[in-house]
Coordinates of all heavy atoms in Angstrom, one line a residue:
M149 N -10.5 8.6 61.1 CA -9.5 7.6 60.9 C -8.7 7.5 62.3 O -8.3 8.5 62.8 CB -8.5 8.0 59.8 CG -8.3 7.0 58.8 SD -7.1 7.5 57.5 CE -8.1 8.5 56.5
D150 N -8.5 6.2 62.7 CA -7.7 6.1 63.9 C -6.2 6.2 63.7 O -5.7 6.2 62.5 CB -8.1 4.7 64.6 CG -7.7 3.5 63.8 OD1 -6.9 3.6 62.8 OD2 -8.1 2.4 64.1
S151 N -5.4 6.2 64.7 CA -4.0 6.5 64.6 C -3.3 5.3 63.9 O -2.3 5.5 63.2 CB -3.4 6.8 66.0 OG -3.5 5.6 66.8
K152 N -3.8 4.1 64.1 CA -3.1 2.9 63.5 C -3.3 3.0 62.0 O -2.4 2.7 61.2 CB -3.7 1.6 64.0 CG -3.0 0.4 63.6 CD -3.5 -0.8 64.3 CE -2.7 -2.1 63.8 NZ -3.2 -3.3 64.5
T153 N -4.5 3.4 61.5 CA -4.7 3.5 60.1 C -3.9 4.6 59.5 O -3.3 4.5 58.4 CB -6.2 3.8 59.8 OG1 -7.0 2.7 60.4 CG2 -6.5 3.9 58.3
I154 N -3.8 5.8 60.2 CA -3.0 6.9 59.7 C -1.5 6.5 59.6 O -0.8 6.8 58.6 CB -3.1 8.1 60.7 CG1 -4.5 8.7 60.5 CG2 -2.1 9.2 60.4 CD1 -4.9 9.7 61.5
Q155 N -1.0 5.7 60.6 CA 0.4 5.2 60.6 C 0.6 4.3 59.4 O 1.6 4.4 58.7 CB 0.8 4.5 61.9 CG 2.2 4.1 62.0 CD 3.2 5.3 61.9 OE1 3.0 6.3 62.5 NE2 4.2 5.1 61.1
K156 N -0.3 3.4 59.1 CA -0.2 2.5 57.9 C -0.1 3.3 56.6 O 0.7 3.0 55.8 CB -1.4 1.5 57.9 CG -1.3 0.4 58.8 CD -2.5 -0.5 58.6 CE -2.3 -2.0 58.5 NZ -1.0 -2.5 58.2
L157 N -1.0 4.4 56.5 CA -0.9 5.2 55.3 C 0.4 5.9 55.2 O 1.0 6.1 54.1 CB -2.1 6.2 55.3 CG -3.5 5.6 55.1 CD1 -4.5 6.7 55.3 CD2 -3.6 5.0 53.8
N158 N 0.9 6.4 56.4 CA 2.2 7.1 56.4 C 3.3 6.1 55.9 O 4.2 6.5 55.2 CB 2.5 7.7 57.7 CG 1.7 8.9 58.0 OD1 1.1 9.5 57.1 ND2 1.6 9.2 59.3
N159 N 3.3 4.9 56.4 CA 4.3 3.9 56.1 C 4.3 3.6 54.6 O 5.3 3.5 53.9 CB 4.1 2.6 56.9 CG 4.4 2.8 58.3 OD1 5.1 3.7 58.8 ND2 3.9 1.9 59.1
L160 N 3.0 3.5 54.0 CA 2.9 3.2 52.6 C 3.3 4.4 51.8 O 4.0 4.2 50.8 CB 1.4 2.9 52.3 CG 1.1 2.5 50.9 CD1 1.9 1.2 50.5 CD2 -0.4 2.1 50.8
E161 N 3.0 5.6 52.2 CA 3.5 6.8 51.4 C 5.0 6.9 51.5 O 5.6 7.2 50.5 CB 2.8 8.0 52.0 CG 1.4 8.1 51.6 CD 1.1 8.0 50.2 OE1 1.8 8.7 49.3 OE2 0.2 7.3 49.8
A162 N 5.6 6.5 52.6 CA 7.1 6.5 52.7 C 7.7 5.5 51.7 O 8.7 5.8 51.0 CB 7.5 6.3 54.1
L163 N 7.1 4.3 51.7 CA 7.5 3.3 50.7 C 7.4 3.7 49.3 O 8.4 3.6 48.5 CB 6.7 2.0 50.9 CG 7.0 0.8 50.0 CD1 8.4 0.3 50.1 CD2 6.0 -0.3 50.2
K164 N 6.3 4.3 48.9 CA 6.1 4.8 47.6 C 7.2 5.9 47.2 O 7.7 5.9 46.1 CB 4.7 5.4 47.4 CG 3.6 4.4 47.4 CD 2.3 5.1 47.4 CE 1.1 4.2 47.5 NZ -0.2 4.9 47.5
H165 N 7.4 6.8 48.2 CA 8.4 7.9 48.0 C 9.8 7.3 47.7 O 10.5 7.7 46.8 CB 8.3 8.8 49.2 CG 9.4 9.9 49.2 ND1 9.3 11.0 48.4 CD2 10.6 10.0 49.8 CE1 10.4 11.7 48.5 NE2 11.2 11.1 49.4
H166 N 10.2 6.4 48.6 CA 11.6 5.8 48.4 C 11.7 5.0 47.1 O 12.7 5.1 46.5 CB 11.9 5.0 49.6 CG 12.2 5.8 50.9 ND1 13.2 6.7 51.0 CD2 11.5 5.9 52.0 CE1 13.2 7.3 52.2 NE2 12.1 6.8 52.8
M167 N 10.7 4.3 46.8 CA 10.7 3.5 45.6 C 10.8 4.4 44.3 O 11.5 4.1 43.4 CB 9.6 2.5 45.5 CG 9.6 1.4 46.5 SD 11.0 0.3 46.3 CE 10.4 -0.7 44.9
K168 N 10.1 5.5 44.4 CA 10.1 6.5 43.3 C 11.5 7.0 43.1 O 12.0 7.2 42.0 CB 9.1 7.6 43.5 CG 8.9 8.5 42.3 CD 7.8 9.5 42.6 CE 7.5 10.3 41.4 NZ 6.4 11.2 41.5
K169 N 12.2 7.4 44.3 CA 13.5 7.9 44.2 C 14.5 6.9 43.6 O 15.5 7.2 43.1 CB 14.0 8.3 45.6 CG 13.4 9.6 46.1 CD 13.7 9.9 47.5 CE 15.2 9.8 47.9 NZ 15.5 10.2 49.3
L170 N 14.2 5.6 43.8 CA 15.1 4.5 43.2 C 14.7 4.2 41.8 O 15.3 3.2 41.2 CB 14.9 3.3 44.1 CG 15.5 3.5 45.5 CD1 15.1 2.3 46.5 CD2 17.0 3.6 45.5
G171 N 13.8 4.9 41.2 CA 13.5 4.7 39.8 C 12.2 4.0 39.5 O 11.8 3.8 38.3
F172 N 11.5 3.5 40.5 CA 10.2 2.8 40.3 C 9.1 3.9 40.4 O 8.4 4.0 41.5 CB 10.1 1.7 41.3 CG 11.1 0.6 41.1 CD1 12.3 0.7 41.7 CD2 10.9 -0.4 40.2 CE1 13.3 -0.3 41.5 CE2 11.9 -1.4 40.0 CZ 13.1 -1.3 40.6
K173 N 8.9 4.6 39.4 CA 8.0 5.8 39.5 C 6.5 5.5 39.4 O 5.7 6.4 39.7 CB 8.4 6.9 38.5 CG 8.4 6.4 37.1 CD 9.0 7.5 36.2 CE 9.2 6.9 34.8 NZ 9.9 7.9 33.9
Y174 N 6.1 4.3 39.0 CA 4.7 4.0 38.8 C 4.4 2.9 39.9 O 5.2 2.1 40.2 CB 4.4 3.4 37.4 CG 4.8 4.4 36.3 CD1 5.9 4.1 35.6 CD2 4.0 5.5 36.1 CE1 6.3 5.0 34.6 CE2 4.4 6.4 35.1 CZ 5.5 6.2 34.3 OH 5.9 7.0 33.4
F175 N 3.2 3.0 40.4 CA 2.7 2.0 41.4 C 1.2 1.8 41.2 O 0.5 2.6 40.7 CB 3.0 2.4 42.8 CG 2.3 3.7 43.3 CD1 1.1 3.6 43.8 CD2 2.9 4.9 43.1 CE1 0.4 4.7 44.2 CE2 2.2 6.0 43.5 CZ 1.0 5.9 44.1
E176 N 0.8 0.6 41.7 CA -0.6 0.2 41.6 C -0.9 -0.7 42.8 O -0.1 -1.7 43.0 CB -0.9 -0.5 40.3 CG -2.3 -1.0 40.2 CD -2.5 -1.8 38.8 OE1 -1.9 -2.8 38.6 OE2 -3.2 -1.2 38.0
E177 N -1.9 -0.5 43.5 CA -2.3 -1.3 44.7 C -3.5 -2.2 44.2 O -4.4 -1.7 43.6 CB -2.7 -0.4 45.8 CG -1.6 0.4 46.4 CD -2.1 1.4 47.4 OE1 -2.8 1.0 48.3 OE2 -1.8 2.6 47.3
K178 N -3.3 -3.5 44.6 CA -4.4 -4.4 44.2 C -4.3 -5.7 44.9 O -3.2 -6.3 45.0 CB -4.3 -4.7 42.7 CG -5.5 -5.6 42.1 CD -5.3 -5.7 40.6 CE -6.5 -6.6 40.2 NZ -6.4 -6.9 38.7
D179 N -5.4 -6.2 45.5 CA -5.4 -7.5 46.1 C -4.3 -7.8 47.2 O -3.7 -8.9 47.2 CB -5.4 -8.6 45.1 CG -6.5 -8.5 44.1 OD1 -7.6 -8.1 44.5 OD2 -6.3 -8.9 42.9
G180 N -4.0 -6.8 48.0 CA -3.0 -7.0 49.1 C -1.6 -6.8 48.6 O -0.7 -7.1 49.4
W181 N -1.4 -6.4 47.4 CA -0.1 -6.2 46.8 C 0.1 -4.7 46.3 O -0.9 -4.1 46.0 CB 0.2 -7.1 45.6 CG 0.3 -8.5 45.9 CD1 -0.7 -9.4 46.1 CD2 1.5 -9.2 46.1 NE1 -0.2 -10.6 46.3 CE2 1.1 -10.6 46.4 CE3 2.8 -8.9 46.1 CZ2 2.1 -11.6 46.6 CZ3 3.8 -9.9 46.3 CH2 3.4 -11.2 46.6
I182 N 1.3 -4.2 46.3 CA 1.6 -3.0 45.6 C 2.7 -3.3 44.6 O 3.7 -3.9 45.0 CB 1.9 -1.8 46.6 CG1 2.1 -0.5 45.8 CG2 3.2 -2.2 47.4 CD1 2.2 0.7 46.7
D183 N 2.4 -3.0 43.4 CA 3.3 -3.2 42.3 C 4.0 -1.9 42.0 O 3.4 -0.8 41.8 CB 2.6 -3.7 41.0 CG 1.9 -5.0 41.3 OD1 2.4 -5.8 42.1 OD2 0.9 -5.2 40.6
F184 N 5.3 -1.9 41.9 CA 6.1 -0.8 41.5 C 6.8 -1.1 40.1 O 7.3 -2.2 39.9 CB 7.3 -0.5 42.5 CG 6.7 -0.1 43.8 CD1 6.6 -1.0 44.8 CD2 6.4 1.2 44.1 CE1 6.1 -0.6 46.1 CE2 5.9 1.6 45.3 CZ 5.8 0.7 46.3
G185 N 6.8 -0.1 39.3 CA 7.5 -0.4 38.0 C 8.1 0.9 37.4 O 7.9 2.0 37.9
T186 N 8.9 0.7 36.4 CA 9.6 1.8 35.8 C 8.9 2.3 34.5 O 9.3 3.4 34.0 CB 11.1 1.4 35.4 OG1 11.0 0.3 34.5 CG2 11.9 1.0 36.6
S187 N 8.0 1.5 34.0 CA 7.3 1.9 32.8 C 5.9 1.4 32.7 O 5.5 0.5 33.5 CB 8.1 1.5 31.5 OG 8.1 0.1 31.5
L188 N 5.1 1.9 31.8 CA 3.7 1.6 31.6 C 3.5 1.0 30.2 O 4.3 1.2 29.3 CB 2.8 2.8 31.8 CG 2.8 3.5 33.2 CD1 2.0 4.8 33.1 CD2 2.3 2.6 34.3
Y189 N 2.4 0.3 30.0 CA 2.0 -0.1 28.7 C 0.5 0.0 28.6 O -0.2 0.0 29.6 CB 2.5 -1.5 28.3 CG 1.8 -2.6 29.1 CD1 0.7 -3.3 28.5 CD2 2.2 -3.0 30.3 CE1 0.1 -4.3 29.2 CE2 1.6 -4.1 31.0 CZ 0.5 -4.7 30.4 OH -0.1 -5.7 31.1
E190 N 0.0 0.1 27.4 CA -1.5 0.2 27.2 C -2.1 -1.1 26.9 O -1.5 -1.9 26.1 CB -1.8 1.2 26.0 CG -1.4 2.6 26.3 CD -2.4 3.3 27.3 OE1 -3.6 2.9 27.3 OE2 -1.9 4.1 28.0
E191 N -3.2 -1.4 27.5 CA -4.0 -2.6 27.2 C -5.4 -2.1 26.7 O -5.7 -1.0 26.9 CB -4.2 -3.5 28.5 CG -3.1 -4.4 28.7 CD -3.5 -5.5 29.8 OE1 -4.5 -5.3 30.5 OE2 -2.8 -6.4 29.9
F192 N -6.2 -3.0 26.2 CA -7.5 -2.7 25.8 C -8.4 -2.1 26.9 O -9.3 -1.3 26.6 CB -8.2 -3.9 25.1 CG -8.5 -5.0 26.1 CD1 -9.7 -5.0 26.7 CD2 -7.6 -6.0 26.3 CE1 -10.0 -6.0 27.6 CE2 -7.9 -7.0 27.2 CZ -9.1 -7.0 27.8
D193 N -8.1 -2.4 28.1 CA -8.9 -1.9 29.2 C -8.2 -0.9 30.1 O -8.6 -0.6 31.2 CB -9.5 -3.1 30.1 CG -8.4 -3.9 30.7 OD1 -7.2 -3.8 30.3 OD2 -8.7 -4.7 31.6
G194 N -7.1 -0.4 29.6 CA -6.4 0.7 30.4 C -4.9 0.5 30.4 O -4.4 -0.3 29.8
T195 N -4.3 1.4 31.2 CA -2.9 1.5 31.3 C -2.4 0.6 32.5 O -3.1 0.6 33.5 CB -2.4 2.9 31.6 OG1 -2.9 3.7 30.5 CG2 -0.9 3.0 31.6
R196 N -1.4 -0.2 32.3 CA -0.9 -1.1 33.3 C 0.6 -0.8 33.5 O 1.3 -0.4 32.6 CB -1.1 -2.5 32.9 CG -2.5 -2.9 32.7 CD -3.2 -3.3 34.0 NE -4.5 -3.8 33.8 CZ -5.6 -3.1 34.0 NH1 -5.6 -2.0 34.5 NH2 -6.8 -3.7 33.7
I197 N 1.1 -1.3 34.7 CA 2.5 -1.3 34.9 C 3.2 -2.5 34.2 O 2.7 -3.6 34.2 CB 2.8 -1.4 36.4 CG1 2.4 -0.2 37.2 CG2 4.3 -1.7 36.7 CD1 2.5 -0.3 38.7
S198 N 4.2 -2.2 33.4 CA 4.9 -3.2 32.7 C 5.5 -4.2 33.7 O 6.1 -3.8 34.7 CB 6.0 -2.6 31.9 OG 6.8 -3.6 31.3
K199 N 5.5 -5.5 33.4 CA 6.0 -6.5 34.3 C 7.6 -6.5 34.2 O 8.2 -7.0 35.1 CB 5.5 -7.9 34.0 CG 4.0 -8.0 34.3 CD 3.8 -7.8 35.8 CE 2.3 -7.9 36.1 NZ 2.0 -7.5 37.5
S200 N 8.1 -5.9 33.1 CA 9.5 -5.8 33.0 C 10.0 -4.7 33.9 O 9.4 -3.6 34.0 CB 9.9 -5.4 31.6 OG 11.2 -5.2 31.4
N201 N 11.0 -5.0 34.7 CA 11.6 -4.0 35.7 C 10.5 -3.6 36.7 O 10.2 -2.4 36.9 CB 12.1 -2.8 35.0 CG 13.3 -3.1 34.1 OD1 14.2 -3.8 34.5 ND2 13.3 -2.7 32.9
S202 N 10.0 -4.6 37.4 CA 8.9 -4.3 38.4 C 9.2 -5.1 39.6 O 9.9 -6.1 39.6 CB 7.5 -4.7 37.8 OG 7.5 -6.1 37.6
I203 N 8.6 -4.6 40.7 CA 8.8 -5.3 42.0 C 7.4 -5.2 42.7 O 6.7 -4.2 42.7 CB 9.8 -4.6 42.9 CG1 11.2 -4.7 42.3 CG2 9.8 -5.1 44.3 CD1 12.3 -4.0 43.1
S204 N 6.9 -6.4 43.2 CA 5.6 -6.5 43.8 C 5.9 -6.8 45.3 O 6.7 -7.6 45.6 CB 4.8 -7.6 43.2 OG 4.5 -7.3 41.9
V205 N 5.2 -6.0 46.2 CA 5.4 -6.2 47.6 C 4.1 -6.5 48.3 O 3.1 -5.8 48.0 CB 6.0 -4.8 48.2 CG1 6.1 -5.0 49.7 CG2 7.3 -4.4 47.6
H206 N 4.0 -7.6 49.0 CA 2.8 -7.9 49.7 C 2.6 -7.1 51.0 O 3.6 -6.8 51.7 CB 2.8 -9.4 50.1 CG 1.4 -9.9 50.4 ND1 0.9 -9.9 51.6 CD2 0.5 -10.4 49.6 CE1 -0.3 -10.4 51.6 NE2 -0.6 -10.7 50.4
F207 N 1.4 -6.7 51.3 CA 1.2 -5.8 52.4 C 1.2 -6.5 53.8 O 1.6 -5.9 54.8 CB -0.2 -5.2 52.3 CG -0.3 -4.1 51.3 CD1 -1.4 -4.0 50.4 CD2 0.6 -3.1 51.2 CE1 -1.5 -3.0 49.5 CE2 0.5 -2.1 50.3 CZ -0.6 -2.1 49.4
S208 N 0.8 -7.7 53.9 CA 0.6 -8.3 55.2 C 1.6 -9.4 55.6 O 1.6 -10.0 56.7 CB -0.8 -8.8 55.4 OG -1.1 -9.8 54.4
N209 N 2.5 -9.8 54.7 CA 3.5 -10.8 55.0 C 4.8 -10.5 54.2 O 4.7 -9.8 53.2 CB 3.1 -12.2 54.9 CG 2.7 -12.6 53.5 OD1 3.4 -12.2 52.5 ND2 1.6 -13.3 53.4
R210 N 5.9 -11.0 54.6 CA 7.1 -10.7 53.9 C 7.2 -11.5 52.6 O 7.9 -12.6 52.6 CB 8.3 -10.9 54.8 CG 8.4 -9.9 55.9 CD 9.4 -10.2 57.0 NE 10.8 -10.3 56.4 CZ 11.8 -9.5 56.9 NH1 11.6 -8.7 57.9 NH2 12.9 -9.6 56.3
C211 N 6.7 -11.0 51.6 CA 6.7 -11.7 50.3 C 6.9 -10.6 49.2 O 6.2 -9.6 49.1 CB 5.4 -12.4 50.0 SG 5.3 -13.4 48.6
I212 N 8.0 -10.9 48.4 CA 8.3 -9.9 47.4 C 8.6 -10.7 46.1 O 9.1 -11.8 46.1 CB 9.7 -9.2 47.7 CG1 9.5 -8.5 49.1 CG2 10.1 -8.3 46.6 CD1 10.9 -8.0 49.6
F213 N 8.1 -10.1 45.0 CA 8.4 -10.7 43.7 C 9.0 -9.6 42.8 O 8.5 -8.5 42.8 CB 7.0 -11.2 43.0 CG 7.3 -11.6 41.6 CD1 7.7 -12.9 41.3 CD2 7.0 -10.8 40.5 CE1 8.0 -13.3 40.0 CE2 7.2 -11.2 39.2 CZ 7.7 -12.4 39.0
S214 N 10.0 -10.0 42.1 CA 10.7 -9.0 41.2 C 11.1 -9.6 39.9 O 11.4 -10.8 39.8 CB 11.9 -8.3 41.9 OG 12.9 -9.3 42.1
M215 N 11.1 -8.7 38.9 CA 11.5 -9.1 37.6 C 12.3 -7.8 37.0 O 11.7 -6.8 36.8 CB 10.4 -9.4 36.6 CG 10.9 -9.8 35.2 SD 9.6 -10.4 34.2 CE 9.1 -11.9 35.0
I216 N 13.6 -8.0 37.0 CA 14.5 -6.9 36.6 C 15.3 -7.3 35.4 O 16.0 -8.3 35.4 CB 15.5 -6.5 37.7 CG1 14.7 -6.2 39.0 CG2 16.4 -5.3 37.3 CD1 13.8 -5.0 39.0
D217 N 15.2 -6.6 34.3 CA 16.0 -6.9 33.1 C 16.9 -5.7 32.7 O 17.6 -5.7 31.7 CB 15.2 -7.4 32.0 CG 14.2 -6.5 31.5 OD1 14.1 -5.3 31.9 OD2 13.3 -6.9 30.7
D218 N 16.8 -4.6 33.4 CA 17.6 -3.4 33.2 C 18.9 -3.5 34.1 O 18.8 -3.4 35.3 CB 16.8 -2.1 33.4 CG 17.6 -0.9 33.3 OD1 18.9 -0.9 33.1 OD2 17.0 0.2 33.3
L219 N 20.0 -3.7 33.5 CA 21.2 -3.9 34.3 C 21.5 -2.7 35.2 O 22.1 -2.8 36.3 CB 22.4 -4.1 33.4 CG 22.4 -5.5 32.6 CD1 23.6 -5.6 31.7 CD2 22.3 -6.6 33.6
G220 N 21.1 -1.5 34.8 CA 21.3 -0.3 35.7 C 20.5 -0.4 37.0 O 21.0 0.2 38.0
L221 N 19.4 -1.1 37.0 CA 18.6 -1.2 38.2 C 19.3 -2.2 39.2 O 19.0 -2.1 40.4 CB 17.2 -1.7 37.9 CG 16.3 -0.7 37.2 CD1 14.9 -1.4 36.9 CD2 16.1 0.5 38.1
Y222 N 20.1 -3.1 38.7 CA 20.7 -4.1 39.6 C 21.5 -3.4 40.7 O 21.6 -3.8 41.8 CB 21.6 -5.1 38.9 CG 20.8 -6.2 38.2 CD1 20.5 -6.2 36.9 CD2 20.3 -7.2 39.0 CE1 19.8 -7.2 36.3 CE2 19.5 -8.2 38.4 CZ 19.3 -8.2 37.1 OH 18.5 -9.2 36.5
D223 N 22.2 -2.2 40.3 CA 23.0 -1.5 41.3 C 22.1 -1.0 42.4 O 22.7 -0.7 43.5 CB 23.7 -0.3 40.6 CG 24.7 -0.8 39.6 OD1 25.2 -1.9 39.8 OD2 25.1 0.0 38.7
R224 N 20.8 -0.8 42.2 CA 20.0 -0.2 43.2 C 19.2 -1.3 44.1 O 18.5 -0.9 45.0 CB 18.9 0.7 42.6 CG 19.6 1.9 41.9 CD 18.5 2.8 41.4 NE 19.0 3.4 40.2 CZ 18.3 3.6 39.1 NH1 17.1 3.3 39.0 NH2 18.9 4.0 38.0
L225 N 19.4 -2.5 43.8 CA 18.6 -3.6 44.4 C 18.8 -3.7 45.9 O 17.9 -3.9 46.7 CB 18.8 -4.9 43.8 CG 18.1 -5.1 42.4 CD1 18.4 -6.5 41.8 CD2 16.7 -4.8 42.4
S226 N 20.1 -3.4 46.4 CA 20.3 -3.4 47.8 C 19.5 -2.3 48.5 O 19.0 -2.5 49.6 CB 21.8 -3.4 48.1 OG 22.3 -2.1 47.7
E227 N 19.4 -1.1 47.9 CA 18.6 0.0 48.4 C 17.1 -0.4 48.4 O 16.4 0.0 49.3 CB 18.9 1.3 47.7 CG 20.3 1.8 47.9 CD 20.5 3.0 47.0 OE1 20.0 4.1 47.4 OE2 21.1 2.9 45.9
V228 N 16.7 -1.0 47.3 CA 15.3 -1.4 47.2 C 15.0 -2.4 48.3 O 13.9 -2.3 49.0 CB 15.0 -2.0 45.8 CG1 13.7 -2.7 45.8 CG2 15.1 -1.0 44.7
K229 N 15.8 -3.4 48.5 CA 15.6 -4.4 49.6 C 15.5 -3.7 50.9 O 14.6 -4.0 51.7 CB 16.8 -5.4 49.6 CG 16.7 -6.4 50.7 CD 17.9 -7.3 50.7 CE 17.9 -8.2 51.9 NZ 19.1 -9.0 52.0
Q230 N 16.4 -2.8 51.2 CA 16.4 -2.1 52.5 C 15.1 -1.2 52.7 O 14.5 -1.2 53.8 CB 17.6 -1.2 52.7 CG 17.8 -0.7 54.1 CD 17.8 -1.8 55.2 OE1 18.7 -2.7 55.1 NE2 16.9 -1.8 56.1
T231 N 14.7 -0.6 51.6 CA 13.5 0.2 51.7 C 12.3 -0.7 52.0 O 11.4 -0.3 52.9 CB 13.2 0.9 50.3 OG1 14.3 1.8 50.1 CG2 11.9 1.7 50.3
I232 N 12.2 -1.8 51.4 CA 11.1 -2.8 51.7 C 11.2 -3.3 53.1 O 10.2 -3.4 53.8 CB 11.0 -3.9 50.6 CG1 10.7 -3.2 49.2 CG2 10.0 -4.9 50.9 CD1 10.9 -4.2 48.0
L233 N 12.4 -3.7 53.5 CA 12.5 -4.2 54.9 C 12.2 -3.1 55.9 O 11.5 -3.4 56.9 CB 14.0 -4.7 55.1 CG 14.3 -6.0 54.3 CD1 15.8 -6.3 54.5 CD2 13.5 -7.1 54.8
D234 N 12.5 -1.9 55.6 CA 12.1 -0.8 56.5 C 10.6 -0.7 56.6 O 10.0 -0.4 57.7 CB 12.7 0.5 56.1 CG 14.2 0.6 56.3 OD1 14.8 -0.3 57.0 OD2 14.8 1.5 55.7
F235 N 9.9 -0.8 55.5 CA 8.4 -0.8 55.4 C 7.9 -1.9 56.3 O 7.0 -1.7 57.1 CB 7.9 -0.9 54.0 CG 6.5 -1.1 53.9 CD1 5.6 -0.1 54.1 CD2 6.0 -2.4 53.5 CE1 4.2 -0.4 54.0 CE2 4.6 -2.6 53.5 CZ 3.7 -1.6 53.7
Y236 N 8.4 -3.1 56.1 CA 7.9 -4.3 56.9 C 8.1 -4.1 58.4 O 7.3 -4.4 59.2 CB 8.5 -5.6 56.4 CG 8.0 -6.1 55.1 CD1 8.8 -6.7 54.2 CD2 6.6 -6.0 54.8 CE1 8.3 -7.3 53.0 CE2 6.1 -6.6 53.7 CZ 6.9 -7.2 52.8 OH 6.4 -7.7 51.6
E237 N 9.3 -3.5 58.7 CA 9.6 -3.3 60.1 C 8.6 -2.2 60.7 O 8.1 -2.4 61.8 CB 11.0 -2.8 60.3 CG 11.4 -2.5 61.7 CD 12.8 -2.0 61.9 OE1 13.6 -2.1 60.9 OE2 13.2 -1.5 63.0
A238 N 8.4 -1.2 60.0 CA 7.5 -0.1 60.4 C 6.0 -0.7 60.6 O 5.3 -0.3 61.5 CB 7.5 1.1 59.5
E239 N 5.7 -1.7 59.8 CA 4.4 -2.3 59.9 C 4.3 -3.4 60.9 O 3.2 -3.9 61.2 CB 4.0 -2.9 58.5 CG 3.7 -1.8 57.5 CD 2.4 -1.1 57.8 OE1 1.3 -1.7 57.8 OE2 2.4 0.1 57.9
G240 N 5.5 -3.8 61.5 CA 5.5 -4.8 62.5 C 5.4 -6.2 61.8 O 5.0 -7.2 62.5
I241 N 5.7 -6.3 60.6 CA 5.7 -7.6 59.8 C 7.0 -8.3 60.0 O 8.0 -7.7 59.6 CB 5.3 -7.4 58.4 CG1 3.9 -6.7 58.3 CG2 5.3 -8.7 57.6 CD1 3.6 -6.2 56.9
T242 N 7.0 -9.5 60.5 CA 8.3 -10.3 60.7 C 8.3 -11.5 59.8 O 7.3 -11.9 59.2 CB 8.4 -10.7 62.2 OG1 7.3 -11.6 62.5 CG2 8.3 -9.5 63.1
D243 N 9.4 -12.2 59.8 CA 9.6 -13.5 59.1 C 8.6 -14.5 59.6 O 8.2 -15.4 58.8 CB 11.0 -14.0 59.2 CG 12.0 -13.3 58.4 OD1 11.6 -12.7 57.4 OD2 13.2 -13.3 58.8
E244 N 8.2 -14.4 60.8 CA 7.3 -15.4 61.4 C 5.8 -15.2 61.0 O 5.0 -16.1 61.2 CB 7.4 -15.4 62.9 CG 8.7 -15.9 63.4 CD 9.8 -14.8 63.4 OE1 9.4 -13.6 63.7 OE2 10.9 -15.1 63.1
D245 N 5.5 -14.1 60.4 CA 4.1 -13.8 60.0 C 3.6 -14.6 58.8 O 4.3 -15.1 58.1 CB 3.9 -12.3 59.7 CG 4.0 -11.4 60.9 OD1 3.8 -12.0 62.0 OD2 4.3 -10.2 60.8

């Protein structure tokens, strides 16, 4: 693995770690997105992250989707935003990308 790939993995692990500290203990990577959530649910084909109280972060451009219905999580949204912005900065992703 080259140093750039290792740095990307380190940035992603840091993002996962900080999001977990903020209450988003589950994550799933898929199709250029990483979804963070506070709970899981069972489907016929496996366990998924609940869309309630979840945040999705795109890997290659500054795009975030969130759905929060737990009022307690609202107090943490500024920290969540800063954590995601720190990830984008570490990855070199800007508004212009």
